Amino acid sequence: MKPLLYSQFDANTRNIGWRREGNEIKYYKNNTDDRQQPFYCLTWTIQFPYDQDTCFFAHFYPYTYTDLQCYLLSVANNPIQSQFCKLRTLCRSLAGNTVYLLTITNPSQTPQEAAAKKAVVLSARVHPGESNGSWVMKGFLDFILSNSPDAQLLRDIFVFKVLPMLNPDGVIVGNYRCSLAGRDLNRHYKTILKESFPCIWYTRNMIKSSLFTVVILRSKNAKKERDEL
């Protein structure tokens, strides 16, 4: 839980990016006298490394929408991975950003073999501030797209439907939990409002079309969210 620091001077002169920094780090609950719901605070001390520098702080190592697009472009341009990984647009977000869907499986020899495969659905970044989910997702994609015997076996048995960034609007504008509409998308899996919650509506519709096992890359509340889904 140690905060991260990014120094533009270090990045430009020493090729050093985000790094853990800070002392006297405290996470604590505020005391309130009016019996309202308390707030939680993070405090820490830090000495900036240089004068006349521009610095940024982060809760976890960032993973941006641009990072995802660069990664997906490398997959699409890979002559081997592109044979068993198909990239398409699931939908457009409220702001018009692409919500990407990857379908990963080895080609089947017969229609019967293809029909026997069950689908495994994975999603990340429904809460945009949880960038650790994107790093876990990248680790999974690195593995499942590799030539590892285990990865090849899994691609033979399953069809993986992967939504690497379910809430791109929130990621882009810097929200921690909500969409561009200020709503927690994880609480709207039962919505019928296609225009208001397109990312969730199209995800649910895609899941309904397959027999599936759902894996949500999340850091907390996973059981409650699975029950709601």
Side-chain angles (χ1 to χ4, degrees), residues 7-178:
S7 161
Q8 281 194 341
F9 183 85
D10 270 342
N12 294 334
T13 62
R14 302 171 60 194
N15 199 31
I16 296 176
W18 291 96
R19 62 182 187 267
R20 301 282 185 184
E21 291 288 351
N23 297 293
E24 300 179 273
I25 300 164
K26 300 180 180 68
Y27 289 87
Y28 60 91
K29 182 168 64 174
N30 272 352
N31 294 321
T32 56
D33 297 330
D34 52 9
R35 296 187 179 181
Q36 294 181 356
Q37 182 176 350
F39 292 99
Y40 293 82
C41 290
L42 160 65
T43 63
W44 76 100
T45 61
I46 192 166
Q47 181 175 353
F48 291 104
Y50 309 102
D51 294 333
Q52 305 301 317
D53 189 14
T54 299
C55 294
F56 300 89
F57 293 102
H59 176 253
F60 197 80
Y61 288 96
Y63 193 99
T64 67
Y65 187 60
T66 301
D67 290 333
L68 173 65
Q69 289 180 311
C70 292
Y71 182 87
L72 296 180
L73 181 62
S74 70
V75 172
N77 290 335
N78 186 302
I80 297 176
Q81 293 177 342
S82 59
Q83 295 180 27
F84 51 79
C85 177
K86 304 304 179 184
L87 175 65
R88 73 175 181 89
T89 298
L90 176 71
C91 66
R92 296 283 180 175
S93 66
L94 285 178
N97 295 301
T98 301
V99 178
Y100 295 100
L101 173 65
L102 289 78
T103 301
I104 303 170
T105 190
N106 284 338
S108 301
Q109 300 299 319
T110 65
Q112 293 77 15
E113 182 182 326
K117 289 184 177 181
K118 290 187 176 182
V120 179
V121 182
L122 298 98
S123 72
R125 294 303 281 279
V126 68
H127 290 162
E130 295 168 354
S131 55
N132 47 344
S134 282
W135 291 107
V136 174
M137 179 63 80
K138 181 182 181 301
F140 167 76
L141 290 173
D142 286 344
F143 162 72
I144 201 65
L145 296 174
S146 73
N147 60 0
S148 159
D150 289 338
Q152 295 183 47
L153 177 61
L154 288 170
R155 295 197 303 266
D156 286 337
I157 298 173
F158 297 106
V159 179
F160 293 91
K161 297 285 188 177
V162 181
L163 296 148
M165 194 168 286
L166 198 54
N167 185 359
D169 292 352
V171 172
I172 291 169
V173 302
N175 289 351
Y176 184 78
R177 192 174 182 87
C178 296

